[in-house]
Amino acid sequence: MKRRVIVLGGGPGGYSSAIRCAQMGAEVILVEKEFLGGVCLNHGCIPTKTLFEASLIKEKIKKAGIFGWEIEEKGFQWEVLKKKKEEVVIRLRKGLEFLFSQYGIKWVKGVGKVINGGVEVGEKTFSGDTLILATGSSPLLPPAFKKRRVLTSREILDLEKLPEKLLIAGGGVIGCEFAYIFSSLGTEVTLVEMMERLLPAEDGDISRGVEEVLKKKGVRVITGIKVEKIEEGKDSISCELGEEKWEGEYILAALGRVRNTQDFSGLGIEMGKEGVRVNEQMETTVPGVFAVGDLTPSPQLAHVAFQEGEVAGENACGGEKTIDYRAIPRVIFTYPEAGSVGMGEEEAREKGYPVKTVKFPFTAVGKAHAEDDTEGWVKLVVNEENNEILGLHILSPSAGEILGEGIIAVNLKVTPETLADSIHPHPTRIEAIKEVSSLFLGKPLHFLK
């Protein structure tokens, strides 16, 4: 008899698990209250990267003259970019709906609530052999921030017009990316982080590199203080930043996210401070119930949810697949981008590794000069005992694309010798990974050690 799987949530973790279950021959019912693709596709990763592309185009226009192009910049139209953003989202959303139809996955639109024996959606109840929880997360909004002119990362994408002044509370990935985007589009941006540095969980060089990028873009960066005493008027909002008062049109709360657990609270699943407890097969403490994505203690990243969804989907259908978190890539979409995989230098030292690090600048990379864009570097974090690469960190245009080689290196515990001895295409930016590995070995080709 065909196995039936119920998936609660249609974001990256949910739809990837549904597709994998269908590929395994199961009957799949997915419950999603809004659109397939979840926050990532509809209100997060995809629309923000469409806005980011507009920022990149502006960077290209600025230096077009040195390459012989005479381009007149007539201005920017926010409404046109919003329309483009929606077109991209709808196209990808329809692509998912097509995949679901081809795989025979049933999408039930509505709020699903787990009850004894199944998932209740309105007046209907759906039951199955296994259940996959993928209900995701929502923006954290403390009581002091619950104001009309305090926006979340979702609402800011749908503003009627571009704000003149914006304060962003929170210097993590979301805060840094929105600071870059809106500053590029002409908004005066102030970015506030309560910790002593931006991106406190990242390698220190990445943190400092992104802060420098944002400051060059015109973003005012303030660290080590909280946003306090928020007050709003009809067309403005203000707050206190230490002894200073800020006033503008909106505050963006980028303070983190909270897990959506309310719809399965009666299941008796064991929870920890960092989320739903799961084993390496993504199964919860309740047999036959799996959890993926933002619900779990793993980093709240779409690509992590994709992998967790594949693992859970396979195991929900009788498989024995396990998850490996050793090489999780992280990308901050500024210009240049910041890309990391594995441990940062500080994390590796805290864990007791004997660490050696080395950085190679893009000023020594031919392709970077051809593009007239030499800002940035590649950094290796290596275990001196066995030369295993623990982490790779990049500040460069297209860092997220270049990072792929580092993901494999960290995942397979590769040494710098392996990367240095591998032939890389010339001229490319990825040559910097070969060069930084050669520099680690004391034999750089295009740089004095």
Side-chain angles (χ1 to χ4, degrees):
M1 188 174 178
K2 210 172 191 182
R3 186 185 294 259
R4 177 187 266 197
V5 181
I6 310 296
V7 180
L8 189 57
Y15 80 71
S16 60
S17 61
I19 290 172
R20 182 50 51 88
C21 287
Q23 291 171 339
M24 299 282 287
E27 177 189 353
V28 186
I29 298 173
L30 182 141
V31 180
E32 165 56 45
K33 65 183 178 181
E34 191 180 24
F35 301 112
L36 293 181
V39 171
C40 177
L41 193 159
N42 297 284
H43 313 293
C45 320
I46 298 301
T48 56
K49 298 316 164 287
T50 307
L51 268 59
F52 177 62
E53 184 63 23
S55 302
L56 295 185
I57 290 170
K58 183 176 181 180
E59 294 292 340
K60 293 290 185 183
I61 291 172
K62 279 165 57 178
K63 63 180 183 182
I66 64 174
F67 289 95
W69 290 102
E70 294 182 8
I71 297 176
E72 182 182 354
E73 188 178 341
K74 293 184 177 180
F76 170 71
Q77 296 176 290
W78 171 245
E79 62 275 13
V80 174
L81 179 56
K82 281 178 61 181
K83 182 180 178 182
K84 175 61 178 176
K85 166 184 70 75
E86 287 303 312
E87 288 174 355
V88 171
V89 168
I90 291 169
R91 187 186 314 141
L92 291 175
R93 191 190 294 160
K94 287 182 177 179
L96 273 181
E97 292 172 2
F98 174 76
L99 283 174
F100 267 44
S101 69
Q102 295 303 298
Y103 278 116
I105 300 169
K106 182 177 181 179
W107 170 26
V108 179
K109 191 168 185 177
V111 176
K113 200 166 188 67
V114 179
I115 58 170
N116 289 334
V119 175
E120 186 179 78
V121 187
E123 297 180 353
K124 294 183 179 180
T125 301
F126 301 90
S127 59
D129 301 297
T130 50
L131 171 66
I132 300 175
L133 303 172
T135 50
S137 64
S138 301
L140 172 63
L141 207 60
F145 283 80
K146 291 182 179 179
K147 308 281 187 183
R148 183 173 49 88
R149 286 189 165 267
V150 175
L151 310 174
T152 69
S153 55
R154 174 170 179 164
E155 291 132 12
I156 197 168
L157 294 170
D158 295 317
L159 287 174
E160 287 300 313
K161 66 175 186 176
L162 203 63
E164 291 183 11
K165 290 183 69 176
L166 172 69
L167 183 139
I168 300 176
V173 175
I174 293 173
C176 289
E177 291 190 355
F178 273 111
Y180 182 84
I181 289 169
F182 277 89
S183 179
S184 292
L185 300 181
T187 298
E188 181 185 319
V189 178
T190 299
L191 176 62
V192 182
E193 167 57 46
M194 64 178 290
M195 303 294 282
E196 292 304 315
R197 63 181 176 95
L198 300 180
L199 304 163
E202 292 294 343
D203 180 271
D205 282 322
I206 287 288
S207 171
R208 289 182 288 272
V210 171
E211 181 171 341
E212 186 178 341
V213 165
L214 292 174
K215 286 179 175 177
K216 284 182 178 178
K217 179 53 62 178
V219 175
R220 185 185 177 201
V221 177
I222 304 173
T223 57
I225 67 169
K226 293 182 179 180
V227 174
E228 297 181 305
K229 296 184 179 178
I230 300 172
E231 297 178 351
E232 65 179 351
K234 181 182 177 182
D235 300 312
S236 65
I237 190 165
S238 66
C239 64
E240 289 187 5
L241 306 174
E243 297 180 356
E244 173 192 342
K245 184 174 182 179
W246 176 91
E247 185 173 359
E249 291 167 80
Y250 295 100
I251 292 176
L252 169 64
L255 302 169
R257 300 183 68 84
V258 291
R259 295 169 177 86
N260 299 327
T261 61
Q262 64 274 13
D263 293 328
F264 58 87
S265 56
L267 267 177
I269 290 173
E270 191 175 333
M271 304 282 292
K273 288 183 178 179
E274 297 181 334
V276 176
R277 294 191 188 279
V278 291
N279 60 21
E280 61 182 5
Q281 294 185 325
M282 305 312 301
E283 191 170 21
T284 70
T285 53
V286 175
V289 178
F290 299 79
V292 299
D294 287 3
L295 291 177
T296 72
S298 60
Q300 294 181 326
L301 298 167
H303 43 278
V304 174
F306 285 135
Q307 188 67 17
E308 291 177 340
E310 291 183 49
V311 170
E314 196 155 316
N315 295 332
C317 296
E320 296 182 353
K321 193 175 180 67
T322 58
I323 190 83
D324 183 356
Y325 294 116
R326 183 170 53 241
I328 297 176
R330 291 99 59 195
V331 183
I332 297 103
F333 288 88
T334 54
Y335 188 87
E337 293 175 11
S340 294
V341 63
M343 298 182 206
E345 180 179 348
E346 295 82 2
E347 180 187 358
R349 294 191 191 282
E350 286 172 8
K351 290 183 175 179
Y353 288 98
V355 171
K356 180 180 177 181
T357 67
V358 63
K359 285 169 70 175
F360 186 86
F362 277 95
T363 52
V365 175
K367 182 70 182 312
H369 282 274
E371 296 171 343
D372 194 54
D373 209 333
T374 58
E375 185 177 0
W377 38 261
V378 176
K379 176 179 179 178
L380 275 183
V381 179
V382 181
N383 181 348
E384 276 199 289
E385 281 187 350
N386 58 11
N387 267 11
E388 177 188 332
I389 295 174
L390 299 174
L392 181 78
H393 309 276
I394 305 171
L395 187 70
S396 167
S398 303
E401 312 296 333
I402 304 169
L403 192 61
E405 185 170 358
I407 297 169
I408 301 301
V410 172
N411 197 42
L412 298 182
K413 300 182 179 181
V414 165
T415 66
E417 286 90 343
T418 300
L419 296 183
D421 289 342
S422 300
I423 299 173
H424 289 64
H426 176 78
T428 61
R429 285 185 172 267
I430 203 171
E431 283 181 279
I433 293 181
K434 174 182 172 68
E435 294 277 12
V436 75
S437 302
S438 298
L439 180 58
F440 177 86
L441 301 171
K443 299 181 289 187
L445 192 59
H446 296 100
F447 191 74
L448 291 175
K449 62 179 180 177

